[in-house]
Amino acid sequence: MRRTVLHMLNACLLFLCASMYLGTGWSLVLFSFPIAPQLTVDNYYLQFVPQVTAATRFFTWMTLVMLVSAVVLFIAERKSPLRWYPVIVFLGVVAATLLTRFLIFRYNAEMASGIRDPERLREVLAGWMTTNRIRVGLWTVQWLAMMGYFAHKLLRAAQPAHAETRKPAQEGTGVRRWVEARS
């Protein structure tokens, strides 16, 4: 019983982290990106740099938690069809991390250094938003995988109830019950 509780808490932790990424990403796309055309070399810094710096510190640790949690979930589910959900999350986290490390951090560093050319600012913001849209797509896949995991788990939990209703039909006495249940 204790192992089942720990297993479920781990899955919930992974879903929480995926939800935090999903919410942060879609918040960027829906609320921060639309104001990008209004940003200038004089006002962009306060709109992006402190928030990105704080998010980077927080999400670095959260990413490590997600990777460990996905591995633990995979090990717990390795003999069931549910094993593919943590694999998808793990691969999504790795892909998003590589995208961040090798593309997005360059834009973050340039914005943090203080861009003074308006044309360069537009280029950097455009590149930053494009790569972040890709990352939001990866975060969405991670969230969908965890939602799929819990949906699959829920459907599997409901299956024994269906098996009991089918059992009388196999004995030959449940045909009438089946017809009555459909009415």
Side-chain angles (χ1 to χ4, degrees):
M1 176 68 171
R2 183 176 178 207
R3 187 176 193 148
T4 303
V5 170
L6 291 176
H7 170 71
M8 196 47 64
L9 286 174
N10 177 62
C12 288
L13 174 65
L14 188 55
F15 196 26
L16 171 66
C17 293
S19 296
M20 291 176 73
Y21 266 144
L22 180 82
T24 300
W26 281 103
S27 176
L28 273 176
V29 170
L30 296 173
F31 307 120
S32 296
F33 289 4
I35 68 159
Q38 300 167 9
L39 297 177
T40 67
V41 294
D42 297 322
N43 69 5
Y44 85 89
Y45 193 93
L46 283 177
Q47 293 293 322
F48 281 94
V49 176
Q51 296 86 338
V52 168
T53 302
T56 300
R57 276 194 304 268
F58 177 80
F59 286 129
T60 296
W61 292 105
M62 193 179 86
T63 297
L64 294 173
V65 168
M66 288 182 79
L67 292 170
V68 170
S69 182
V71 168
V72 169
L73 187 59
F74 172 78
I75 290 168
E77 298 289 2
R78 71 186 174 277
K79 294 180 181 176
S80 83
L82 297 172
R83 70 182 172 274
W84 296 110
Y85 297 105
V87 168
I88 293 167
V89 173
F90 185 89
L91 293 175
V93 171
V94 168
T97 301
L98 292 173
L99 178 71
T100 302
R101 173 67 182 91
F102 293 108
L103 296 177
I104 294 174
F105 278 176
R106 292 180 193 169
Y107 295 123
N108 292 354
E110 191 169 351
M111 284 193 285
S113 70
I115 300 171
R116 299 306 314 156
D117 177 28
E119 183 57 35
R120 182 62 191 153
L121 176 62
R122 278 190 292 284
E123 292 169 4
V124 169
L125 284 174
W128 188 82
M129 289 187 300
T130 298
T131 52
N132 269 286
R133 282 185 182 97
I134 295 166
R135 185 168 64 171
V136 170
L138 292 167
W139 289 344
T140 302
V141 167
Q142 293 167 30
W143 186 87
L144 288 170
M146 285 310 299
M147 177 55 80
Y149 173 83
F150 282 104
H152 195 151
K153 200 115 169 112
L154 183 64
L155 291 172
R156 284 178 68 190
Q159 218 166 10
H162 294 304
E164 289 174 7
T165 59
R166 278 184 263 155
K167 188 175 180 182
Q170 293 170 352
E171 295 170 357
T173 61
V175 174
R176 189 169 43 153
R177 287 186 200 154
W178 179 78
V179 172
E180 291 170 359
R182 290 192 65 202
S183 308

